[in-house]
Amino acid sequence: MKEVINNEKFGEIIYTESAWTGKKGLVMSGKELEKVDRNSFKTEDGKMVNLTGNYFAGVKMTLDGETIILSQGLKWYDYVLSILPFVLIMIWGNSVALCEIVPVIGGVIGGLISAVFCFVNLFILKQLKNVWLKILVSVATLGVTFLICYLIALAILGIMV
C-alpha cells in the first residue's frame, strides 16, 4: 500500500506499508526517513516521527506534536461484510434442514475456507473507496465461498455413495 499526503507544514509525505510483512517506509519532501524501530523514524534534523496503527485500523503520524492521518482504517460495515461468508457457512453447514436442500461443507473445512475468504475480502475492501462496489465485491465473495463449500460437499457425498 502506498499513500501520498500533501501537508502544508511538512510538504509531500509518502507512506508505504506491506500488507503481508507489515514493513513500513516514510518519505518526507523527497527524502527517505531513517528507520529507528518498527514504528519510529528520524528526520534529517533529528526529530522523531512516530507511527500508530496498522493496515486495517489506519495509520497516523505524529511529528512536532501534530498528528497527521496517513491511511484511513476500515469502517464497521467493511468488517460486517467480510464476516458474512464465515457466518453463512457456519450456520448453513450446521443445519441439517438447510443441508438437505443445498449441501455445504461445514465444520473445520468449511470454517477454514470461509475464514480465508473473509480475509481476502478484507484486503480487497481496504483498497476500494465506493460503498456500492464494496457491497458488490462482498456479495461475490460470499457467492464464491458458498459455491466452493457446495462443490466440496458434493464431492464428499459422491464418494460416499
Side-chain angles (χ1 to χ4, degrees), residues 34-51:
E34 178 186 341
K35 192 170 191 171
V36 177
D37 62 30
R38 184 164 168 49
N39 292 315
S40 299
F41 293 85
K42 189 187 294 185
T43 62
E44 286 184 336
D45 55 355
K47 295 180 182 177
M48 291 299 292
V49 177
N50 293 314
L51 301 178

Side-chain angles (χ1 to χ4, degrees), residues 15-26 34-41 48-55 59:
Y15 171 72
T16 56
E17 180 179 358
S18 171
W20 304 108
T21 63
K23 184 178 177 186
K24 299 174 183 179
L26 198 57
E34 178 186 341
K35 192 170 191 171
V36 177
D37 62 30
R38 184 164 168 49
N39 292 315
S40 299
F41 293 85
M48 291 299 292
V49 177
N50 293 314
L51 301 178
T52 55
N54 59 37
Y55 183 76
V59 179

Side-chain angles (χ1 to χ4, degrees), residues 25-137:
L26 198 57
V27 176
M28 289 180 57
S29 302
K31 297 175 182 139
E32 188 167 354
L33 301 185
E34 178 186 341
K35 192 170 191 171
V36 177
D37 62 30
R38 184 164 168 49
N39 292 315
S40 299
F41 293 85
K42 189 187 294 185
T43 62
E44 286 184 336
D45 55 355
K47 295 180 182 177
M48 291 299 292
V49 177
N50 293 314
L51 301 178
T52 55
N54 59 37
Y55 183 76
F56 293 114
V59 179
K60 295 178 184 176
M61 173 183 99
T62 305
L63 175 61
D64 288 342
E66 186 175 337
T67 301
I68 301 165
I69 297 173
L70 300 177
S71 169
Q72 292 292 329
L74 290 168
K75 306 284 189 229
W76 65 269
Y77 53 82
D78 294 328
Y79 291 107
V80 170
L81 290 170
S82 292
I83 201 167
L84 287 178
F86 185 78
V87 171
L88 176 69
I89 296 302
M90 288 299 101
I91 291 172
W92 199 291
N94 287 310
S95 172
V96 175
L98 290 174
C99 282
E100 286 177 357
I101 300 169
V102 178
V104 296
I105 188 81
V108 174
I109 297 171
L112 181 63
I113 292 167
S114 58
V116 166
F117 278 98
C118 287
F119 284 108
V120 167
N121 197 45
L122 271 177
F123 279 106
I124 293 170
L125 293 186
K126 175 69 174 154
Q127 298 172 3
L128 300 175
K129 303 293 181 215
N130 188 331
V131 175
W132 289 107
L133 189 57
K134 288 182 177 193
I135 292 170
L136 185 65
V137 167

Side-chain angles (χ1 to χ4, degrees), residues 137-154:
V137 167
S138 296
V139 169
T141 303
L142 181 70
V144 169
T145 304
F146 193 84
L147 178 66
I148 290 173
C149 290
Y150 169 69
L151 293 174
I152 291 173
L154 286 182

